Amino acid sequence: MTMVLTEAQNLLKDTARDFIQSKAPVAALRQLREYYKDLPEGSCNAAAIELGYSQELWEQMSELGWAGIVIPEAYGGLEFGYQGLGVVLEECGRTLAASPLFATVALGAGCIQEIGSDEQKQTLLPKVAEGRTTLALALEEHPRHTPTRIATCAEATDDGYTLKGFKTFVLDGHCADQLVVVARTSGGIEESEGISLFLVDANAPGVRRSRTAMLDSRNVARIVFDNVRLKSEALIGMEGQGYPALETVLDRARILLAAEMLGGVQECFERTIEYLKEREQFGTKIGSFQALQHRAAKMLTEVELSQAAVMAALSALDENSSNARLLASLVKARLNDTFELITNEAVQMHGGMGVTDELDIGLFLKRARVTMQILGDSSYHRDRYASLSGY
Amino acid sequence: MNELTEFRQQVRQWLEQNCPVSMRGAAALDEIYRGGSRETFSSDEAKLWFERMLDKGWTAPGWPKQYGGAGLSDPQVKVLKQEMKRLGCRAPLEAGQGLAMLGPALLEFGTEQQKLEHLPRIARGEVRWCQGYSEPGAGSDLANVQCRAKDMGDHFLINGTKIWTSNADVADWIFCLVRTDPDAGKQEGISFLLVDMAQPGVSVKPIELISGDSDFCQVFLDDVRAEKHNLIGEINQGWTVGKRLLQHERTLMSEIGDLSMGAASDLPECARLYIGLENGKLAESQLRMRVAQSEMNSQVLQLAQRKAFEEAKSGRVNPAATSFFKYYATEQQSVRYELMLALMGERALGWEHKRMDVSSFEDQELSVTRNWAFSKALTIAGGSSEIQLNVIAKRVLGLPDRTEGANKS
Amino acid sequence: MDFNDTPSEAKFRAQVRAWLKQHATPKINGVAAKRKLPEAQQLQAAKHWQKKIYDAGWACITWPKAYGGRGGTQMELVIWREEVADYDELDGFFTIGHGMCGPALMAYATEEQKRHLLPRLASGEDVWCQLFSEPGAGSDVAALKTRADPCGNGWKVNGQKVWTSGAHFADYGIVLCRTDPTVPKHQGITFFFIDMKQEGVTAQPIKQADGGAHFNEVFFNDAEIPDIQRLGEVGGGWKGALTVLMSERMAVGSLQATGFPELLSLVQRLPLEDGFAIDNAAVADKLADWYVKHAGLKHTNSRILSAISRGAPPGPEASIGKLVAAPMNQDINSYAVQLLGMNGMVTDPELAEKQAHFQKEMLFAPGIRLAGGTDEVMRNIIAEQVLGMPQDKRDDKDVPFNEVPVGV
């Protein structure tokens, strides 16, 4: 386990911070979320609003190599490791930067990398690494994260499959070029046996997508698969044996999402400490009140612990450690709880300003609530942690 | 392997016969014997225990006999620790700055004369050490040493200030990083010196916090003398020694780890025993979630300790570490013991009694109850949780105090 | 102390019930639908309802009949509030007017003013607001800087207020101004009421994180107040305000939602992975905890009110209600949203019709913990005034206001 960043990783982190702070500050999200309002004509980039992120930004991120950080060199990636992707996502989390990085690389390409055929890897991964193809993982069918509860089914035909079903909360699903769809080829509704993964062209006949307006302006979609015809090559991995690989991919994604959440946690925490040092009431800085100092110190403790958990989990991914599964649940639950605590405290300590739309803190509050749900809330992961530990 | 088994049996027997009953089970912080000229024993039995262990060379069991140890091999030391843990024996002498940090560094870098002079006095608890690394303004960049040591021929003359030195007010000697060549690169002109604090020019000022209490001191060195033979390693090569010494902080860290675990370490096992499993899950779903939460918190704490250790190894000290580890570890331990009580129900409500029969309780059960009671002291003694929070707020977050915060024109 | 109704209280309750059943709109699934209307429509509905209860003699139950009230008791007011809470009617627009401004007028206004203004307030014809907080004076209200300088037969006001609920539609407001900066901060403040529609007063809504705009910034630019609108002595405004703030904490405390009934109704019909939420052990555990608090709050409130009905003034214990209810409301709504999973995060009205209630409440909840005295201020009040712990050191208490240096 490595708990300090290497020089190269530090360099990447600094680059990522400079880039994100200048190209995708919180103000950029404010522009994008105008999607949800009645748009004054020509007020901002309509294409970006349609997409939910700026294509120009995504191209620049890809030029920096971020889309290929964890993709093997053999497929045109940098093979730089999860710790590297983690620091980039952490920086993205600091400004709530909107990009298809997480959905494409952590979720979609993750499945291909894990059990795709060599041909699928050859065709897709280099394009992903260059930022020319975006992917999404169509998994959830229920409001709460339940990865085995799959009703969407793929029925075998002479030359392939017919896909029928309905998916919800597909991250960046409204604009992805290709979808990795989790579907059942056999087995009962709760069983992990019989789950298969398919690669589906997002514009194939029978695929109907609509974007869902979310609390935090994150991009998600509902997708209907209405008798979508698939060739047999669309299958990723072995038929009916997709779940173990899916779980591995989900664990990686949980850890990477936790890294993104850590960015939000740190940003909110730092802004709050600064405010405590500036704001004056009763003739003194409010940061000199012991009641607030102790709460700030407790927040710091949680932030420090969260940092350690994220680093350890990312490092377990890079070392391909069998511990990664347990750490994924540990780190997702911890970041859920820390993000909730820090955003609530940030709002309360900012006083009236904290509940205004003008101040960014409210945007982090909303982002926290959404990320807390994605890929499992705290009770899901506490339960999983207990089960994995044998009790 | 056989030899080790035999050794284990001897150790077990010896401990059972020689460790007083009051020296078993977690110690409250004011019951820990830390050594040094200002320290006293908390009880006669603590003194007896210390003397018996010293006699065996087991206060520093891994050190060679001529330096006050017992010359045990690494596997033997491990066996001794396991057997002490099995019986719940307290450490006779705290693994502090001398035993855990300076000692191992001296063994590696010291001359024969230096080892003979300093190591036995550490093992015998005669000298308590403190660490002079941080300086005002240097922050977490330890190599930014400003404290000067001038070569005076037969000795060095030291001038400068060290800060955030734990327990300097009760220590006898201090090991310092000092700058001996101001013209060399940042890490190059540093030397590692041992300084006797009982001399004119050394003054120690506890850093007063809002609460009026503190574990930390500022140490002022004003024309202080250090003999040449107290230079460890080569001149201007002290950074190597200093960095290596930080690695020994691992031992200290793991001690804190043990503190956080104590007898409550196997919470899941306790839960399986007293609650039972149903379909592989603990039968009480609410308690199951509490056990999981507590286990997760302990694991995260260990990861954070690991991170702090690795950072220290690379020369960066996390200034928050000591305080938040103490705060979080002891608070968590308290929570774990409360949870143990909840899991064990009335099995945790027995108490040792001289005249009444408590044989219906297992020894293990009685020890949990006793440790639960002790755990209440841990969040208070040795810098209460509130003081740790003050330290974090002030030292790490830089929040103002009431006088600084108030408007003064 | 007796939590059961006396015979006369029981009779009153029966009357209220009968009248409400006939005239008020019921809630559906425990959710108050009117609160989701656009603000202008809400205001209209609220005024309509207020006029209706005024005409029927239920408005401002504790106020004297001469001023448009019912001349009833505090306990009758509690009974009214308990009963009306089961219906989908809006009374929030008048909370400040009835809870703070009315009592302030009764204490300090002239008889003529009282006879003119109070009935209009009771019937919902006029809406009132409260102008205390300023950008630099949040929890520390007494640090306010808005100036009122003598001018002819009255005062000229200049400055800025913030966090004023409903200022953009209010007809009148009560306002604290600094009239003497050369004395310590608490001593140079004077209390007035002001016509909000007059020249020199501008209200500008503040957009909140939840998308609403409940609060305003209010700017005074040479706004004139006749001296007859002064409430109490010149320089005596702080004491006057304290009395009123106390009744605000009282008003907020006694009316404040905990979110419990709504949560209960949600978990009864929300399916989780393994049956309805209410059958889940973890959910039931939480519900039980919150029920205990919810019931405790209800009884604490009755206890305070029965003290008041015996003639005791509202004590600082009133702070307890707000301190417990506001964070609880935040926790409950946050929990409800989590139970709803990703459905709790959707803002599409067609998808989130039922759920948007909890989502909106969750985002508005932090504001309740801040308005009318933050949690931290409440804890200070409880520590110092209820528990008698030593008063905290105040750095600015005895210094003339204009000599308190301004921060960097």
Side-chain angles (χ1 to χ4, degrees), chain B residues 195-213:
Chain B
V195 181
D196 186 350
M197 295 177 77
Q199 61 168 308
V202 178
S203 54
V204 175
K205 188 176 144 223
I207 299 168
E208 193 157 340
L209 299 170
I210 303 166
S211 59
D213 202 353

Side-chain angles (χ1 to χ4, degrees), chain A residues 60 81 96 123 130 210-211 238 283 304 330 340 348 371:
Chain A
Q60 290 171 338
L96 309 168
T123 336
E130 285 172 28
S210 55
R211 188 167 165 190
M238 304 265 285
E304 290 275 347
L330 176 78
E340 183 177 27
Q348 180 73 14
T371 48

Side-chain angles (χ1 to χ4, degrees), chain B residues 26 28 337 341 351 367-378:
Chain B
Y337 275 112
L341 255 58
W351 195 258
S367 112
V368 166
T369 317
R370 202 170 51 229
N371 286 337
W372 163 80
F374 278 130
S375 75
K376 296 296 165 204
L378 293 178

Side-chain angles (χ1 to χ4, degrees), chain B residues 51-62:
Chain B
E51 282 166 355
R52 284 177 178 168
M53 287 291 276
L54 180 61
D55 206 38
K56 298 282 284 184
W58 285 356
T59 55

Side-chain angles (χ1 to χ4, degrees), chain C residues 5 13 26 73 103 123 193 213 227 248 253 323 326 330 350 397 407:
Chain C
D5 288 343
R13 191 183 294 276
T73 66
S123 66
F193 73 88
D227 191 54
E248 177 182 24
L323 184 56
Q330 191 176 9
E350 48 176 311
K397 214 172 173 182

Side-chain angles (χ1 to χ4, degrees), chain C residues 223-385:
Chain C
E224 287 177 28
I225 304 182
D227 191 54
I228 195 158
Q229 288 178 208
R230 172 162 50 81
L231 298 169
E233 299 293 314
V234 173
W238 181 248
K239 222 180 124 217
L242 265 194
T243 317
V244 169
L245 272 179
M246 202 54 83
S247 42
E248 177 182 24
R249 276 161 201 165
M250 185 66 215
V252 177
S254 58
L255 280 176
Q256 188 153 81
T258 60
F260 182 80
E262 292 81 1
L263 177 71
L264 183 61
S265 144
L266 172 75
V267 298
Q268 281 164 342
R269 63 199 153 81
L270 178 74
L272 289 187
E273 292 83 49
D274 47 0
F276 284 105
I278 196 164
D279 298 322
N280 180 297
V283 174
D285 207 54
K286 286 247 176 208
L287 269 184
D289 277 353
W290 278 322
Y291 174 74
V292 170
K293 273 194 185 178
H294 177 73
L297 273 176
K298 232 171 106 176
H299 294 321
T300 305
N301 227 357
S302 312
R303 201 167 62 97
I304 292 167
L305 287 164
S306 62
I308 292 168
S309 68
R310 287 195 313 268
E317 313 84 77
S319 302
I320 295 170
K322 179 175 168 351
L323 184 56
V324 177
M328 178 174 164
N329 183 55
Q330 191 176 9
D331 289 346
I332 284 188
N333 283 297
S334 184
Y335 186 69
V337 169
Q338 286 182 44
L339 277 180
L340 288 162
M342 294 300 284
N343 277 347
M345 308 298 163
V346 178
T347 53
D348 270 342
E350 48 176 311
L351 282 176
E353 206 174 345
K354 277 182 222 151
Q355 291 78 21
H357 165 78
F358 292 102
Q359 198 186 101
K360 282 197 113 155
E361 290 293 315
M362 175 185 80
L363 291 171
F364 190 67
I368 303 175
R369 287 179 62 191
L370 299 163
T374 63
D375 289 3
E376 292 75 14
V377 168
M378 293 296 152
R379 289 200 185 92
N380 282 343
I381 292 175
I382 291 173
E384 292 176 9
Q385 296 180 29

Side-chain angles (χ1 to χ4, degrees), chain A residues 143 213 215 281-282 295 357 366, chain C residues 140 207 209 342 345 347 376:
Chain A
L215 176 64
Q281 289 282 273
F282 304 106
R295 277 158 63 184
D357 187 65
K366 294 175 182 175
Chain C
D140 183 14
K207 207 168 135 199
M342 294 300 284
M345 308 298 163
T347 53
E376 292 75 14

Side-chain angles (χ1 to χ4, degrees), chain B residues 274 344 347-348 360-369:
Chain B
Y274 289 93
M344 290 165 64
R347 301 301 303 164
S360 63
F361 292 101
E362 304 281 339
D363 284 351
Q364 281 286 347
E365 290 171 336
L366 292 171
S367 112
V368 166
T369 317

